[in-house]
Amino acid sequence: MAATLLDRTPRLERRNGLPVHVQIEQWLMEQIIRGELGTGERLPGERTLAAALRVSRMTLRQALDGLARRGVLVRLPGRKGGAFVAEPKIDCDLTGVAGFTEQMRRTHRKAGATVLSARTGPADATIAEALRIPVESPVHEIVRVRDADGTPLALERSWLPADRVRGLLDHPLNGSLYDLLADTFDLAPRTAVEYLEPVLADTADAAALGVTTGTALMQVERTANAQSGMPVEYARDRYRSDKVRLMIRTEVTA
């Protein structure tokens, strides 16, 4: 389908106030959304595509760079390189209180979990404040890699107050923690406060997620509360920004 892309080049307007490179971005994005360009397909070479669009290679590169920054294209160097259509990102909907398992279920993917560690230790000041417990109180710390259809997407670090969820670590931890909290302890998370922050993968993150050190990740810091308002989980989840797009839905209320 990429071979016929040159037959579908648009007529670019140079006087309507919209920069030409933005028009090219929009056109290429439309081709991808409509399925005219599929995942992994290589775009025509810069020289050929620029000539077909009647623009300079510099203008074309602006458009391609813009799509690459958005994760729509992957640009590879070398004779066998070029601009390739990237694999679509998975949308994780942070609206409401839904764990990773439920988020993947919504996208028709199978969620998995690999437990890296599960232990009980003392809460530091940050964890204690989030969970509203005294410093040094026992907390269960669970570290897991979460995947969708076998692809690692997130590194989850969760802390739960041990006195409120006694025996938690005796249960299987390779499924939904939120389902476990609801079904076994009657502490289903109902509300949460979350903070989003870009971070760079450290050595441990990189090893767990199969990326290189310094890769951009998106961290979600969360405190989840039961119906009573009592905190039941404090977590720091780190998502691969090359595979996941975090989404929050809003609405206007009267």
Side-chain angles (χ1 to χ4, degrees):
M1 288 185 286
T4 63
L5 185 68
L6 301 178
D7 299 328
R8 303 191 300 272
T9 54
R11 180 176 180 178
L12 302 172
E13 298 292 339
R14 289 170 168 76
R15 298 180 181 178
N16 65 356
L18 191 64
V20 171
H21 71 88
V22 174
Q23 295 179 54
I24 297 172
E25 277 190 56
Q26 292 178 345
W27 168 62
L28 288 172
M29 194 71 199
E30 288 172 2
Q31 301 300 304
I32 294 169
I33 292 172
R34 287 162 46 187
E36 300 292 344
L37 285 170
T39 300
E41 284 199 77
R42 183 182 185 275
L43 271 62
E46 284 186 7
R47 187 184 304 277
T48 302
L49 187 53
L53 289 166
R54 296 184 176 85
V55 298
S56 68
R57 292 179 68 180
M58 180 178 296
T59 297
L60 177 62
R61 284 173 182 167
Q62 283 183 283
L64 299 180
D65 287 344
L67 291 172
R69 285 193 297 270
R70 293 160 58 186
V72 177
L73 295 179
V74 175
R75 305 191 71 189
L76 301 177
R79 294 182 61 184
K80 295 184 179 180
F84 297 83
V85 179
E87 181 181 355
K89 293 185 179 182
I90 298 173
D91 285 341
C92 283
D93 189 353
L94 299 183
T95 306
V97 183
F100 184 90
T101 301
E102 175 59 25
Q103 291 170 350
M104 293 302 103
R105 187 180 297 126
R106 292 173 182 175
T107 62
H108 309 290
R109 290 174 170 84
K110 182 179 180 181
T114 300
V115 180
L116 300 185
S117 65
R119 66 184 185 88
T120 304
D124 64 22
T126 300
I127 296 169
E129 180 180 5
L131 295 175
R132 290 187 237 152
I133 57 177
V135 175
E136 301 292 320
S137 295
V139 291
H140 298 315
E141 179 188 31
I142 302 171
V143 182
R144 306 188 299 171
V145 174
R146 304 307 308 272
D147 67 81
D149 297 333
T151 299
L153 296 184
L155 178 62
E156 294 182 343
R157 294 183 176 92
S158 297
W159 294 268
L160 304 99
D163 290 342
R164 297 172 191 165
V165 288
R166 296 181 183 275
L168 174 70
L169 301 189
D170 295 330
H171 294 269
L173 301 174
N174 56 355
S176 169
L177 283 184
Y178 283 9
D179 286 350
L180 182 58
L181 288 173
D183 298 340
T184 305
F185 301 97
D186 195 25
L187 290 174
R190 297 299 184 189
T191 63
V193 176
E194 297 178 303
Y195 296 93
L196 278 63
E197 180 181 12
V199 296
L200 300 178
D202 58 23
T203 304
D205 297 334
L209 293 173
V211 299
T212 59
T213 301
T215 295
L217 306 174
M218 180 59 72
Q219 176 172 280
V220 179
E221 182 180 358
R222 175 181 62 259
T223 301
N225 308 300
Q227 183 67 48
S228 64
M230 177 178 62
V232 294
E233 179 206 33
Y234 172 67
R236 299 190 195 109
D237 301 340
R238 293 190 166 188
Y239 289 85
R240 290 179 57 175
S241 59
D242 64 327
K243 297 290 185 181
V244 174
R245 183 173 63 171
L246 302 179
M247 178 179 68
I248 300 174
R249 289 176 283 114
T250 60
E251 63 181 40
V252 176
T253 58

